[in-house]
Amino acid sequence: MGLFDRFKRKKDPEPAPQGPALSPTADTAAVILLGRDVGWEAVTGAVEDRFGPQALVSVDRSAPNAPAMTVRLEGTEFFCSYLAMPHPPQVYDLSSLQEGLFSPQEREELLAHRAFLVLAQKGGGVSLAEKRRVCLLFTHLAGALVGLDGAVGVFVADAELLISRRLYLQHAAILEKNRDDPEYFPAPLWISIRSGQKGELPMVGTWGLKHFGFLELWFLDAKSPWPELHEKLYLMSIFQITGRELYRNMDTIAFTPGAPSVFKELKGALFIVGGGV
C-alpha cells in the first residue's frame, strides 16, 4: 500500500461529494512580525524587487503612523499596512501560543517584535478553488515580506498559528519549486496542529481547516509518535484542500492494512478513532 493510498477513505457505494460541506472564509489575512522598525520604503521596495513595480498598484501615506499599499498579483489585489508598534495583545495575545512552528529561541524573538505588517485579501476565497488560489498567491507575497531584514515571522489569525521567519521562508521556497503542481499546498503555513485532552484521553488535531470549508481533523487517544501524527494531519489536510479527498462522518480509513480507523463527527470536528494509530 502506497503512502497516498493510506489516506484514502473507504468509498461509499454512491458518488461522494466533490467539495467541502461548508463555505470557505472569503477573506484571508495574516500579520508579519518585525523585530525592528524596518521603514516603509523597505516594505514597498521588497514588493517591487520581487514582483516588479507594476505589482504596486497604489501607496497611501495619508496616515503617517500607518502607511498602506495595494498589491496586485495575477489579477488579485492584496492590502498591506505598516504599524511601528507591537501587535496589540487585546486583539490577540501572542504569548498565549505555546505550540507552533518555532524553536524556543525563535518564540522569544517573535514575542519581542517591535513592528508589524497587516496583510489581507478581501473577498477572494468564495470557493475552495479560489480560496486555494488566494492562499498560494498570499504565500508568495508574504514570503517576499518575511524575507525583509528584520522580519521575525508570521501570525496567521484564522489558524491561531505562529511561524518563525526561518520556517516560513523554508515552506515558501518549497512552494516556489512546486508552483505548477496542483496536488501541492503549503498546509503548515495555513493549518496549525494542536494537542489537548478529551476527558482522560489525549488528542492531537488541526486548527484552521474550517476556513477552507472542512471539519477539523482530530486523532483521539493516538499512540503514534508526534511527528507521524503531524505528517498524517498535514497530508490529510492537503488532500482535502486540493480536492482529492473529502472525509465524512462514519467513513473509515486504514493507515495500516487490516486496522481501519473511523471518522466520528462531534462539535464541528471529525475525530479519528481506533485502528491502532
Side-chain angles (χ1 to χ4, degrees), residues 64-157:
N65 296 327
M69 64 180 172
T70 300
V71 179
R72 183 182 296 125
L73 300 181
E74 298 182 15
T76 299
E77 292 192 350
F78 299 83
F79 174 81
C80 180
S81 62
Y82 182 86
L83 292 96
M85 57 179 283
H87 189 266
Q90 60 268 32
V91 175
Y92 195 97
D93 183 4
L94 300 180
S95 66
S96 67
L97 295 172
Q98 301 298 321
E99 298 175 300
L101 299 183
F102 48 73
S103 68
Q105 179 180 351
E106 287 169 335
R107 180 175 182 271
E108 292 305 312
E109 292 174 351
L110 288 160
L111 296 181
H113 70 278
R114 290 293 178 266
F116 66 96
L117 297 165
V118 176
L119 184 60
Q121 200 290 321
K122 302 290 288 183
V126 293
S127 67
L128 177 59
E130 287 302 310
K131 181 70 172 181
R132 184 169 60 240
R133 178 179 178 275
V134 165
C135 288
L136 293 174
L137 291 172
F138 196 108
T139 302
H140 289 304
L141 178 53
L145 296 173
V146 176
L148 282 164
D149 182 21
V152 293
V154 176
F155 171 59
V156 183

Side-chain angles (χ1 to χ4, degrees), residues 142-195:
L145 296 173
V146 176
L148 282 164
D149 182 21
V152 293
V154 176
F155 171 59
V156 183
D158 283 348
E160 298 181 6
L161 174 60
L162 199 56
I163 312 168
S164 73
R165 178 182 190 268
R166 172 181 60 89
L167 285 168
Y168 199 96
L169 291 177
Q170 177 181 312
H171 285 285
I174 295 171
L175 174 59
E176 290 290 346
K177 293 179 181 179
N178 293 274
R179 188 161 188 170
D180 297 323
D181 184 356
E183 296 188 345
Y184 178 76
F185 186 83
L189 302 185
W190 295 98
I191 307 294
S192 64
I193 307 297
R194 298 285 189 83
S195 59

Side-chain angles (χ1 to χ4, degrees), residues 231-242:
E231 180 187 37
K232 289 180 172 69
L233 288 166
Y234 282 140
L235 284 173
M236 293 168 74
S237 297
I238 292 170
F239 291 164
Q240 292 202 110
I241 291 170
T242 57

